[in-house]
């Protein structure tokens, strides 16, 4: 059985383009060593229809049976990554092919690298497929909704092992260059089949890779070669456009650099991009304006729940200079009537979430104005999802959500299924500890529909989308109202 599955995995490696035919024996021997096995038999088997997930499962079961690993998702993930590295080309080979493809076209290069990242199981496509995805039409356009199911839940045994494991400073974080080829441990994922393309942005060494969780098409991460904190500054805009010039078919954006309105990793300077059109990019300009000294740059307020300024110009350097001007103005801007405070007690509150892209021959930069002030009424943030929406989304609104894609917690899969059953049966949601938090929400919309077993799922998904739209509106400093636009114009007038 071991020989058969090793043969299948090696054949998969050849068929998927990970390795050439001439490396079959080499890869077979590497895999045998992983199992501490000296014998191999070239058994006849079906190599025409290979299911990678199934083959890996059989190999992991074998490793458990032999006592090589414990039967836990954490240890299984560590080991199957080790197996896939036996098939994955070395970094220098990946970089060489990428360079060859790039000479043909940037898209040819990224197509190659993305497919490699999927074929090597660095992107576990069979898990990503489990994510729930749908769209919802709103006043701001069609929003993307996802319930993230591709990150495996750790079992209690693995959690305890991670807690008791010695702390390590290597790699310093999940975004460091040192992750390439790292075997991993119970409190750090394996990255043996991970490959990084070195690139130069703003005359410094950066890395280009894909996210293993691909929340959207070709979801990539671009990160500083040094472990240095996130900071939104003029150099940020230069870096974003340096990348877009290298890969004009991709957008690239940055999380904000302050807690609450920033991303999950503020300790390492990085951006996220990809080959995808978000609702925010499709959103129209509702009002144009001109800034003195930058008459050659087209400026406008975007019709979007967050407060977004869009800049366009054929010369990206002019956009960069204007963006820096807007950033400095926003950092120091206070309007007490609009409840915008640049700082309180010495703590800064204003920052920006920037997104760069090409639109035809024009360079384009969206600047989402952010503020992380908290109050007693809103201890998690005034411009953060408010408490009544926490039953759906409580987490920070980072770059991906800002652009119009909800990344919702995995608990919602089961909760929405249970809600559908409870609504159809007429059960009291308030007596169910898992569903009680949704009771007011359901009471608010169920009278608007004739709910049946055929439409209950669609109705719930539509209403979840409406909640996400409210989440984005909460995150907007200036609301899409006459008062909000008036306050927005007051800031623009200071530029």
């Amino acid at each position: 059985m071991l020989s058969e599955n090793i043969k299948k995995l090696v054949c998969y490696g050849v068929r998927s383009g990970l390795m050439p035919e001439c490396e079959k024996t080499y890869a077979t021997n590497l895999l045998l060593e992983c199992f501490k096995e000296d014998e191999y038999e070239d058994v006849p088997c079906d190599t025409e229809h290979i299911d990678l997930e199934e083959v890996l499962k059989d190999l992991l079961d074998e490793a458990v049976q032999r006592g090589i690993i414990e039967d836990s998702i954490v240890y299984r993930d560590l080991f199957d990554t080790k197996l896939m590295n036996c098939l994955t080309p070395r970094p220098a080979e990946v970089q060489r092919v990428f360079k060859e493809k790039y000479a043909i076209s940037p898209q040819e290069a990224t197509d190659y690298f993305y497919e490699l990242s999927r074929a090597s199981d660095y992107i576990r496509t069979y898990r990503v497929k489990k994510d729930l995805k749908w769209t919802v039409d709103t006043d701001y356009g069609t929003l993307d909704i996802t319930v993230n199911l591709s990150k495996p839940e750790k079992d209690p045994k693995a959690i305890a092992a991670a807690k008791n494991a010695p702390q390590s400073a290597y790699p310093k974080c999940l975004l460091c260059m040192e992750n390439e080829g790292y075997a991993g441990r119970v409190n750090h994922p394996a990255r043996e089949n991970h490959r990084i393309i070195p690139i130069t942005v703003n005359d410094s060494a950066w890395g280009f890779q894909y996210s293993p969780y691909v929340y959207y098409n070709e979801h990539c991460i671009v990160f500083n070669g040094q472990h240095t904190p996130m900071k939104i500054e003029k150099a940020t805009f230069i870096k974003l456009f340096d990348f877009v010039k290298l890969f004009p078919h991709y957008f690239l954006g940055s999380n904000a650099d302050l807690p609450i309105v920033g991303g999950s990793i503020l300790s390492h300077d990085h951006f996220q991009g990809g080959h995808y059109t978000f609702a925010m990019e499709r959103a129209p300009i509702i009002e144009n304006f001109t800034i003195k000294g930058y008459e050659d740059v087209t400026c406008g307020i975007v019709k979007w729940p967050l407060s977004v300024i869009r800049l366009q110009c054929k010369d990206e350097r002019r956009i960069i200079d204007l963006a820096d001007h807007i950033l400095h103005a926003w950092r120091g801007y206070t309007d007490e009537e609009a409840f915008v405070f640049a700082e309180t007690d010495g703590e800064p509150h204003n920052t920006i979430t920037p997104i760069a892209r090409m639109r035809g021959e024009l360079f384009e930069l969206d600047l989402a104005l952010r503020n992380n002030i908290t109050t007693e009424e809103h201890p998690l943030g005034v411009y953060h999802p408010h408490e009544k929406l926490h039953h759906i989304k409580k987490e920070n609104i980072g770059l991906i959500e800002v652009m119009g894609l909800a990344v919702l917690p995995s608990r919602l899969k089961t909760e929405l299924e249970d809600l559908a059953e409870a609504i159809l049966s007429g059960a009291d949601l308030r007596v169910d500890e898992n569903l009680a938090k949704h009771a007011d929400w359901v009471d608010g919309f169920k009278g608007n529909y004739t709910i049946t077993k055929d439409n209950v799922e669609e109705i719930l998904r539509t209403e979840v989308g409406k909640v996400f739209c409210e989440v984005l509106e909460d995150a907007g400093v200036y609301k899409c109202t006459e008062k909000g636009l008036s306050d927005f114009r007051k800031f623009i007038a200071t530029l």
Side-chain angles (χ1 to χ4, degrees):
M1 189 66 172
L2 176 62
S3 290
E4 179 181 333
N5 282 307
I6 285 179
K7 181 177 180 178
K8 286 181 178 178
L9 190 60
V10 170
C11 286
Y12 166 84
V14 174
R15 285 177 178 272
S16 64
L18 287 173
M19 50 181 274
E21 181 85 21
C22 64
E23 289 184 6
K24 287 176 72 172
T25 300
Y26 175 76
T28 298
N29 289 331
L30 289 179
L31 290 164
L32 287 170
E33 197 279 328
C34 291
F35 287 89
K36 311 299 180 189
E37 178 60 62
D38 297 326
E39 300 296 328
Y40 175 75
E41 184 182 354
D42 188 7
V43 294
C45 61
D46 179 12
T47 58
E48 294 297 317
H49 309 94
I50 300 172
D51 184 321
L52 179 61
E53 183 181 15
E54 186 178 303
V55 172
L56 287 175
K57 180 185 179 300
D58 289 343
L59 287 168
L60 291 168
D61 289 344
E62 180 77 22
V64 170
Q65 186 179 336
R66 291 179 176 227
I68 296 171
I69 60 170
E70 293 184 34
D71 193 10
S72 155
I73 187 69
V74 171
Y75 295 101
R76 291 171 78 95
D77 279 4
L78 290 170
F79 193 71
D80 70 6
T81 304
K82 182 184 183 74
L83 299 181
M84 290 305 299
N85 188 47
C86 296
L87 314 178
T88 306
R90 296 286 286 269
E93 174 64 9
V94 174
Q95 293 169 28
R96 182 190 67 77
V97 176
F98 186 90
K99 189 175 181 180
E100 284 181 359
K101 301 281 188 184
Y102 189 88
I104 300 170
S105 78
Q107 185 162 344
E108 187 111 0
T110 56
D111 284 350
Y112 157 74
F113 189 38
Y114 187 59
E115 285 311 309
L116 176 98
S117 300
R118 287 158 53 94
S120 68
D121 209 36
Y122 168 70
I123 297 172
R124 297 173 185 264
T125 54
Y126 44 85
R127 285 188 186 165
V128 174
K129 286 177 184 176
K130 295 176 183 177
D131 289 350
L132 302 181
K133 297 183 179 183
W134 67 93
T135 60
V136 174
D137 292 333
T138 72
D139 291 341
Y140 306 100
T142 302
L143 302 181
D144 293 299
I145 312 296
T146 66
V147 176
N148 175 34
L149 302 174
S150 54
K151 285 187 180 180
E153 300 286 339
K154 293 182 179 178
D155 59 56
K157 199 172 180 181
I159 292 171
K163 184 178 179 182
N164 297 325
Q167 293 301 305
S168 172
Y170 182 87
K172 288 188 176 72
C173 77
L174 292 169
L175 294 176
C176 285
M177 288 283 192
E178 291 78 11
N179 281 281
E180 187 175 44
Y182 187 62
R185 51 185 192 268
V186 290
N187 55 3
H188 193 104
R191 290 290 184 257
E192 286 167 299
N193 58 347
H194 175 39
R195 299 295 180 261
I196 297 169
I197 300 296
I199 61 173
T200 300
V201 292
N202 197 26
D203 299 322
S204 57
W206 282 59
F208 167 53
Q209 66 178 60
Y210 288 103
S211 165
Y213 306 113
V214 286
Y215 293 130
Y216 50 85
N217 187 49
E218 296 178 47
H219 178 184
C220 69
I221 300 173
V222 180
F223 58 99
N224 198 315
Q226 301 297 316
H227 184 76
T228 185
M230 297 278 294
K231 187 178 181 183
I232 301 296
E233 56 186 349
K234 183 176 183 178
T236 303
F237 309 131
I238 296 172
K239 293 167 189 171
L240 293 177
F241 280 119
D242 275 0
F243 178 85
V244 168
K245 286 187 288 185
L246 285 172
F247 304 100
H249 58 299
Y250 274 19
F251 77 88
L252 193 68
S254 174
N255 270 302
D257 55 355
L258 294 179
I260 298 177
V261 295
S264 57
I265 302 178
L266 295 178
S267 60
H268 196 126
D269 194 15
H270 71 286
F271 308 129
Q272 295 181 80
H275 198 185
Y276 191 71
T277 303
F278 285 88
M280 190 171 86
E281 181 179 343
R282 294 191 296 266
I285 298 294
I286 56 173
E287 188 170 301
N288 284 102
F289 59 90
T290 303
I291 297 176
K292 187 177 180 182
Y294 298 93
E295 289 81 5
D296 55 327
V297 180
T298 302
C299 310
I301 296 173
V302 180
K303 184 183 179 183
W304 194 242
L306 281 89
S307 309
V308 179
I309 293 172
R310 179 167 293 162
L311 309 177
Q312 291 180 330
C313 189
K314 285 190 174 182
D315 185 349
E316 85 282 1
R317 294 169 298 180
R318 296 290 290 157
I319 294 179
I320 289 165
D321 288 343
L322 178 51
D324 185 49
H325 174 64
I326 294 171
L327 173 65
H328 281 283
W330 179 243
R331 291 274 197 203
Y333 184 74
T334 292
D335 180 352
E336 293 187 14
E337 287 185 12
F339 207 77
V340 175
F341 295 87
E343 58 89 21
T344 54
D345 300 323
E347 180 187 350
H349 296 305
N350 290 348
T351 185
I352 279 176
T353 300
I355 302 102
R357 63 180 78 90
M358 295 295 301
R359 192 182 290 268
E361 295 183 354
L362 295 175
F363 290 97
E364 183 171 279
L365 185 67
D366 284 350
L367 302 174
L369 307 183
R370 312 298 302 276
N371 180 290
N372 76 345
I373 195 168
T374 60
T375 62
E376 286 188 14
E377 183 184 1
H378 301 295
L380 297 182
V382 173
Y383 305 109
H384 176 87
H386 290 175
E387 188 174 4
K388 70 170 187 173
L389 308 178
H390 288 180
H391 65 105
I392 298 294
K393 177 72 174 178
K394 183 179 181 179
E395 298 78 14
N396 292 353
I397 301 305
L399 171 67
I400 295 173
E401 285 93 355
V402 165
M403 295 185 292
L405 189 153
V407 181
L408 302 179
S410 59
R411 62 175 171 82
L412 282 177
K413 178 182 185 295
T414 302
E415 290 177 11
L416 291 175
E417 290 170 353
D418 292 346
L419 269 177
E421 289 185 18
I423 291 170
L424 291 172
S425 67
D428 184 356
L429 300 181
R430 287 175 170 78
V431 300
D432 186 316
E433 62 178 347
N434 289 323
L435 301 183
K437 59 179 171 286
H438 298 297
D440 289 344
W441 171 56
V442 172
D443 285 347
F445 70 73
K446 67 180 182 181
N448 301 328
Y449 301 95
T450 301
I451 302 177
T452 69
K453 65 178 182 179
D454 295 325
N455 67 11
V456 64
E457 180 182 313
E458 182 184 352
I459 288 169
L460 282 169
R461 288 187 169 197
T462 297
E463 293 298 326
V464 166
K466 290 179 181 178
V467 169
F468 178 59
C469 189
E470 288 186 61
V471 161
L472 295 182
E473 288 176 332
D474 282 351
V477 176
Y478 300 117
K479 310 309 177 188
C480 286
T481 61
E482 278 305 315
K483 171 72 164 62
L485 282 172
S486 176
D487 290 336
F488 203 164
R489 293 185 194 108
K490 281 171 63 179
F491 166 64
I492 290 170
T494 68
L495 298 174

